[in-house]
Amino acid sequence: MGANRHMSVDSRGRYTPEAMGEATPGSEGPAGSRSHNLISPRRASLMQEPVLVLNATYEPINVTAVRRAMVLMLKGVAQAEEMHNAEVHSAAHAHKVPSVIRLLAYRHIPQQSRALSRKNILLRDRNTCQFCVRVFQARN
């Protein structure tokens, strides 16, 4: 430790975390940043949130991550139909995060793949119908 640093000692004669340069859980460091608490569960990244992908005819195709959806939008392959309330920032721009995107060109999807995408959509919606709020039983 530096000679100019003020050292504080608690009632038992031990150095306090602030004196040793460590942050206590929940304490704020420089610029109001919170120290990392290893006990609390980590929140999933915003870029891994699910996004519904629709075909050009508005039929659901798949559920993908925000990262893939943003790539499709930036390449001009898809457009956002519904936006999330969060933003992703770059050096020059702030982009709204999509929650539903639609492909601009029609893609033929085989019947077997459609069943898998319905399964993905039901997984995303926790097996609940969005129209009648009925819970479906999972089929194998």
Side-chain angles (χ1 to χ4, degrees):
M1 288 200 257
N4 295 342
R5 177 177 262 175
H6 174 69
M7 308 257 267
S8 62
V9 179
D10 67 359
S11 63
R12 294 185 184 177
R14 296 178 296 190
Y15 291 111
T16 60
E18 293 83 14
M20 297 177 68
E22 300 172 7
T24 57
S27 67
E28 293 193 13
S33 63
R34 299 286 238 174
S35 64
H36 181 67
N37 188 356
L38 297 175
I39 298 171
S40 67
R42 278 185 81 153
R43 197 190 97 186
S45 172
L46 174 66
M47 298 302 276
Q48 297 302 320
E49 291 288 318
V51 176
L52 176 64
V53 180
L54 302 175
N55 211 338
T57 57
Y58 291 93
E59 69 176 321
I61 295 177
N62 198 4
V63 176
T64 189
V66 168
R67 179 183 169 141
R68 176 72 178 143
M70 296 284 289
V71 168
L72 290 172
M73 287 173 44
L74 292 172
K75 287 173 67 175
V77 175
Q79 73 177 22
E81 291 296 322
E82 191 170 322
M83 301 304 264
H84 196 266
N85 58 1
E87 289 182 337
V88 175
H89 297 273
S90 68
H93 300 285
H95 300 279
K96 297 281 277 180
V97 174
S99 59
V100 178
I101 64 170
R102 182 176 61 91
L103 300 177
L104 297 177
Y106 179 80
R107 299 281 309 227
H108 176 72
I109 308 296
Q111 185 64 30
Q112 186 179 12
S113 296
R114 289 184 197 165
L116 293 176
S117 68
R118 283 190 211 110
K119 184 176 180 181
N120 286 339
I121 293 167
L122 286 173
L123 283 173
R124 183 200 68 171
D125 295 336
R126 295 185 179 99
N127 292 327
T128 305
C129 176
Q130 296 299 304
F131 296 108
C132 62
V133 194
R134 189 178 85 204
V135 177
F136 292 102
Q137 296 296 324
R139 292 186 286 183
N140 291 332

